[in-house]
Amino acid sequence: MTTFAIVVSTAPTDNRTLTALKFAQSLIAQGHIIDGVFFYQHGVINANVYLQTPSDEINHLTAWDKFHADTQTPMHLCITAAERRGLTDSNAPGFSHNIARHFTISGLGELVVLTNKADKVIQL
């Protein structure tokens, strides 16, 4: 059994995002442990609740939500990268909280913690 940290830096429109999800599912199915998934750079877009997905395509937000519900794997979201891409956890006037509830707002410090605890770090 190996512990992993996964870094997702690709947008939901990128095929590597689906690869990251399938890789994470495969690790869990093989009995490995994922200490956390860290969404960084364009990967933070996966947390946007307002993202519209055509009906014939995979809804990555729903897929990551199911993965989290099934595995209880922490899903960290880099808040700096998120804010640069229009995501916010603010409910202040002029803002609308648009980050999905299963994501934990984090910073690069959390990424350091995850990578230090894991036996292997995979970035897609």
Side-chain angles (χ1 to χ4, degrees), residues 20-124:
L21 177 62
K22 290 190 176 284
F23 183 75
Q25 292 168 329
S26 176
L27 289 176
I28 296 294
Q30 294 174 23
H32 298 293
I33 296 171
I34 301 174
D35 285 330
V37 180
F38 191 87
F39 292 82
Y40 183 59
Q41 297 175 331
H42 289 314
V44 299
I45 298 170
N46 288 283
N48 189 344
V49 296
Y50 295 136
L51 194 64
Q52 296 291 313
T53 304
S55 60
D56 61 340
E57 294 181 14
I58 295 171
N59 183 321
H60 288 270
L61 180 61
T62 303
W64 282 113
D65 186 34
K66 182 175 181 340
F67 175 76
H68 173 71
D70 292 347
T71 66
Q72 300 304 308
T73 300
M75 312 274 276
H76 298 279
L77 185 73
C78 176
I79 190 60
T80 302
E83 288 177 344
R84 286 185 180 146
R85 289 162 179 85
L87 281 87
T88 180
D89 62 342
S90 175
N91 289 320
F95 292 94
S96 177
H97 187 134
N98 58 353
I99 297 173
R101 60 178 166 69
H102 58 273
F103 286 90
T104 301
I105 294 172
S106 301
L108 292 179
E110 187 61 36
L111 178 60
V112 171
V113 171
L114 283 174
T115 57
N116 280 337
K117 287 175 34 182
D119 295 323
K120 296 183 180 183
V121 179
I122 306 294
Q123 180 174 0
L124 296 158

